[in-house]
Amino acid sequence: MEATAPIVDRSAALQERNRKIRFVLLAILVANWVVAVAKLVFGLMAHSASVTADGLHSFIDGGSNVLGLVAMGVASQPADADHPYGHGKFEALASLGIGAMIGVGMLELGRMALDSLVHDKHPTVSLTMAGVMVFTLVVNLAVTRVERHYGEKYKSALLLADAKHTLSDVFVSLAVLVSIGLVAAGFPRADGLIALGVMVFVAWVAYGIVRQAVGILSDTARLDPLQVSQHTLAVSGVRSCRDVRSRGMEESVYVDLKIEVDPQLTTAQAHEVADKVEETLHGAYPQVVDVVVHVEPSRAR
């Protein structure tokens, strides 16, 4: 016998959440591409590998926002016959796509940096370029704070992943500002060396994002089985708890487990114990949207 907690109709709330996430992504898209155009234009005009590479990184930021908007459009669709658990994992797929895009950008950064070093290219440094970099740095800081705030508020893996991506752009911009200062001080090779450093940093960011997305898509356990068992065993009538499993997204976790009860209980009484287990776990873990309790008679020890 098994009992399933009623799935709360959350479609309206999820639709509203996803609408707000799409609005945030659209606003960030505009900011990212304004920053990207500014960096690319001044980087190409000054023949600076590090500034151009930073512009490319910002352009990828914008591309990831487009990917996110498309993914959220799919993820916001309600559960159907083909996707009984909903379409939430499309959001994780988009996060994985962001990691892949960062990887492509990383390779381009490496190519440009090596080209600068091998051919000993000397970028032209100006106060205007430095001003543009400071402006884009301020914009990126604001974007990061906004995305992280709404990512935590809506528990969105996509917004949190993109916030990390944008934060990487902040450090890239800081590194580029350092390279501009070194070039102005008479160290032209600093441009290519800083670009190589940027490539390594971007690779680390990509690894973190891909790791998070793979964890969601591969159904990594979302809750500690021991803690779930402790909550379950605290329910009157439960003699043992085992085979605790959990999966899903941060904001929507699915749990199933097996409990043993007194074999003399009637079906109705056993079902009542299962209902209490479900209520207990929903109270202990607000992110749990569904609990399946498999009820078995207690075995002779």
Side-chain angles (χ1 to χ4, degrees):
M1 177 180 68
E2 66 183 49
T4 306
I7 299 178
V8 180
D9 184 8
R10 303 168 69 240
S11 59
L14 285 174
Q15 289 281 348
E16 180 63 13
R17 166 190 177 269
N18 291 336
R19 185 190 66 78
K20 291 177 178 178
I21 291 175
R22 287 197 298 272
F23 178 80
V24 173
L25 285 171
L26 185 59
I28 299 305
L29 170 63
V30 174
N32 280 335
W33 276 352
V34 167
V35 166
V37 170
K39 291 177 182 177
L40 286 171
V41 169
F42 282 92
L44 292 172
M45 288 175 60
H47 304 289
S48 171
S50 59
V51 175
T52 304
D54 195 11
L56 177 63
H57 189 202
S58 295
F59 184 78
I60 294 173
D61 281 339
S64 68
N65 294 141
V66 172
L67 178 63
L69 284 167
V70 173
M72 286 307 300
V74 177
S76 63
Q77 299 300 313
D80 54 32
D82 293 327
H83 301 85
Y85 292 98
H87 299 74
K89 283 190 176 181
F90 282 96
E91 188 174 344
L93 282 172
S95 298
L96 190 62
I98 290 174
M101 293 182 73
I102 297 177
V104 173
M106 177 193 67
L107 295 176
E108 182 62 15
L109 290 179
R111 186 197 67 77
M112 295 181 69
L114 290 174
D115 185 58
S116 175
L117 290 171
V118 170
H119 296 94
D120 195 19
K121 292 183 178 180
H122 300 268
T124 303
V125 175
S126 66
L127 288 176
T128 302
M129 180 192 294
V132 168
M133 291 305 301
V134 171
F135 167 75
T136 59
L137 178 62
V138 172
V139 172
N140 285 331
L141 281 171
V143 166
T144 300
R145 289 179 64 88
V146 168
E147 280 196 299
R148 184 183 300 150
H149 169 74
Y150 285 106
E152 292 173 350
K153 180 177 180 180
Y154 301 128
K155 298 187 182 300
S156 169
L158 179 58
L159 283 181
L160 289 174
D162 204 45
K164 289 181 181 178
H165 189 183
T166 307
L167 180 61
S168 73
D169 215 18
V170 170
F171 289 105
V172 169
S173 296
L174 284 172
V176 172
L177 279 171
V178 171
S179 76
I180 290 175
L182 290 174
V183 170
F187 300 96
R189 287 187 179 275
D191 185 58
L193 291 173
I194 291 294
L196 283 177
V198 168
M199 181 188 72
V200 174
F201 181 79
V202 170
W204 177 251
V205 173
Y207 168 75
I209 293 175
V210 170
R211 181 181 178 183
Q212 180 190 38
V214 169
I216 294 173
L217 295 172
S218 60
D219 285 336
T220 298
R222 308 304 295 180
L223 303 177
D224 182 351
L226 181 59
Q227 288 185 352
V228 173
S229 294
Q230 290 174 343
H231 285 298
T232 302
L233 290 171
V235 176
S236 177
V238 176
R239 292 189 174 182
S240 72
C241 175
R242 56 190 170 85
D243 297 339
V244 176
R245 298 185 298 179
S246 62
R247 63 185 178 86
M249 307 282 287
E250 266 191 58
E251 75 285 356
S252 54
V253 177
Y254 295 83
V255 182
D256 69 84
L257 67 157
K258 294 178 182 178
I259 65 171
E260 291 184 359
V261 299
D262 186 342
Q264 301 303 316
L265 293 181
T266 65
T267 301
Q269 290 172 326
H271 195 281
E272 184 178 346
V273 173
D275 285 342
K276 290 179 180 178
V277 170
E278 294 159 9
E279 292 173 8
T280 298
L281 294 181
H282 278 296
Y285 304 102
Q287 69 271 39
V288 170
V289 297
D290 187 35
V291 180
V292 176
V293 180
H294 305 267
V295 182
E296 299 178 355
S298 179
R299 303 170 184 174
R301 303 293 180 184

